[in-house]
Amino acid sequence: MTETAPRRLLPLLTGRHGGSRSALTCRFRCGDACFHDVPNTSAGEYFGDVAARAFSRRTALKAGAVVAAAGAATTVLGQQPALAAPGKGQAGKSGAAPGLNFEPVAPNTDDKLTTPAGYLQDVVIRWGDKLFSDAPDFDPAHLTAAAQQRQFGYNCDYLGLLPLKGQHEFLLVANHEYTDEILMFAGYDAENPTREQVEVAWAAHGLSVVAVTSGQRGKRSGALDPMVDHRLNRRFDTHSAFELTGPVAGTDLVKTAADPTGRTVLGTLNNCSGGLTPWDTWLTAEENFNQYFANAASVTDPVVKERLRRYGMTGGASERKWERFDDRFDLLKAPNEANRFGWIVEVDPYDPTSTPKKRTALGRFKHEAATTRVTADGRLAVYMGDDERFDYFYKFVSTDKVGKGDNRDLLDNGTLYVAKFTGNSPAAEITGDGTLPSDGAFDGAGEWIPLVTSHGSEAISHVPGMSGVEVLLFTRQAGDAVGATKMDRPEDVEPNPVTGVVYVALTNNTKRLLPGEVDEANPRVNNKHGHVLEVAEARNDAGASAFAWRVFLLAGDPNDPSTYFAGFDKSQVSPISCPDNVAFDKRGNLWISTDGNALGSNDGLFAVAVDGEFRGQVKQFLTVPVHAETCGPWIDDDRVLVCVQHPGEGDGSTFENPTSHWPDGGTSVPRPSVAVAWRADGKKIGH
Ligand code: FEO
Ligand code: CA
Ligand code: CA
């Protein structure tokens, strides 16, 4: 693709980037990623030789057969259709897909959680709520690190509910992605943070495990309350111990003065979404870790400098200035510390003494999520997105089969792949304005290109010029070398539990500027509302190396001709913008939460059928309060949970004068929280 001129329009506090995110979100969430150069400057072409191209064509042909199989409505495995045909939606269709029978919530800018008529709601746990009775009550005017270490952290993103006891006790796991210091501290001076403020932020990052119960509320209530002092409650923060496992553990590039063995890392940073394994552990994804590390600009070694640049580390002082209080955040003083972040972390929430493991065999990038599906022969596939404009979509497949035990080493042995998408329409028909090509679909075939195979402490590289350990540590550069497809910010990924089709949320990309820069899988220029892809693995096997794919949704205002709702009548859908986290209900309906709605409404949670006559009928289930993002949707029969992340994170918003007062109301500070909705009549969601 053509490179555009470098952009260094660092935002003013009251500025706004090209999409709809507030300047505060850009600054605190991802270190102003949108205002820096796109880190992927690779050519985006497969540098393979003729044989490799022939291989490409062969796999494309094989995957083409999958499309044909999908057209015949069954896969080789005889399961559900792999990819439903587009255009099934009918004008004037009444009713709703099974499980999605609710009145859609209208777009709005209200400072509250808005749910459909007939639904009730409650807050499960807020920033500052105690997990242990020895913590003080939340006092926003007097935050301390000691208190925060025993309280729910800031900016929850992923949430999962694991079974605990019967139908009413669960283990809630949640990430605390990052902190909004300007909303946390009175008179916060970003140029001169105090040690006390930095230590609170260290404690407010990380993870929470907290038992919750519905037992206190009566039979019909879906409300959940934290069980303070439950023996499984845990907080992990920037000083908790994490073990590096897999081939990178113990190698020179992860050794530091504080950890000469290269095996124990303090902290997990910027954990965004995640997933659960079949053996009930939690995978949590370290995302924009780059923003915490200072002074990349002063690094002189050209190889190291390029590796840092590819991960977005190019500047001087960091936003939060942590390097002033701990040398490990200064790349000149601790050059390897940044190599110890950017991993998928596995947590065993049922063992309160367990040390979480950073699984290096799954590669290092800005991990958004990690969701799993068992392959046809019993191994585990883990799907992962790298949330950066023009970065890649990955899959890890374990060597060993999923066993009945704790599968302790399963994620240390296996092969990491990156996706290459090929369209089946002529390039001239991909015009960049969302117009469907003449075959009626943005679709095609794809292949999983192997990057590295991990086996114990060994890593066998499949990328010429890079060692196995280098591929795991600098996975983005490995993806560049094999010509992976540059995507429009791959965020959450989720296999449909009913059909096996994998859904990939691509949040947006306003830097894909020219018609020549689009491809059939990323078919819009200035894609400010994002899209959702369907990926159907060959033979419906998560272990396959080929797949078919199709664009399911081109988000935006349905009146915008560049949008596409899987062929459904656009007069009957909710406007949706910036799909981010995705989840499924048991029926196989897709639920999509949004981040950065560029249509003037608050962000929300949407549900859509992916099969049958209502395929593509997007319906808004809830909206979150002012300047919040909807995260971590969790859908079960009786309740819908979301994380309300960064309420009040708007232009000009401060601790003293925030733009949101949710959830406590009055003049209170906004508090990122987990919220729950359920039906007032006690019936199942959407019935
Ligand atoms: Fe933390 Fe990519 O959102
Ligand atoms: Ca096509
Ligand atoms: Ca996200």
Side-chain angles (χ1 to χ4, degrees), residues 238 244 252-259 264-269 286 289 292-293 308 313 326-343 358 364 473:
T238 313
L244 281 170
D252 286 348
L253 285 171
V254 289
K255 289 177 181 167
T256 65
D259 174 29
T264 304
V265 183
L266 296 186
T268 188
L269 287 173
E286 296 183 329
F289 64 93
Y292 301 93
F293 293 93
L308 291 168
M313 288 174 273
D326 189 338
D327 285 351
R328 70 184 172 120
F329 296 108
D330 185 336
L331 290 162
L332 297 179
K333 294 175 180 163
N336 289 342
E337 187 69 13
N339 293 341
R340 294 144 61 88
F341 293 85
W343 303 105
K358 297 198 179 194
R364 175 172 168 270
L473 266 167

Side-chain angles (χ1 to χ4, degrees), residues 46-58:
Y46 199 174
F47 288 122
D49 56 18
V50 175
R53 288 180 189 281
F55 168 78
S56 240
R57 278 197 300 275
R58 276 200 308 276

Side-chain angles (χ1 to χ4, degrees), residues 180-201:
D180 279 296
E181 280 76 358
I182 213 159
L183 300 177
M184 296 169 69
F185 304 112
Y188 181 69
D189 177 357
E191 291 309 309
N192 296 290
T194 66
R195 171 169 281 281
E196 197 176 19
Q197 289 168 337
V198 167
E199 288 182 351
V200 169

Side-chain angles (χ1 to χ4, degrees), residues 14 198 297 325 542:
T14 53
V198 167
F325 304 95

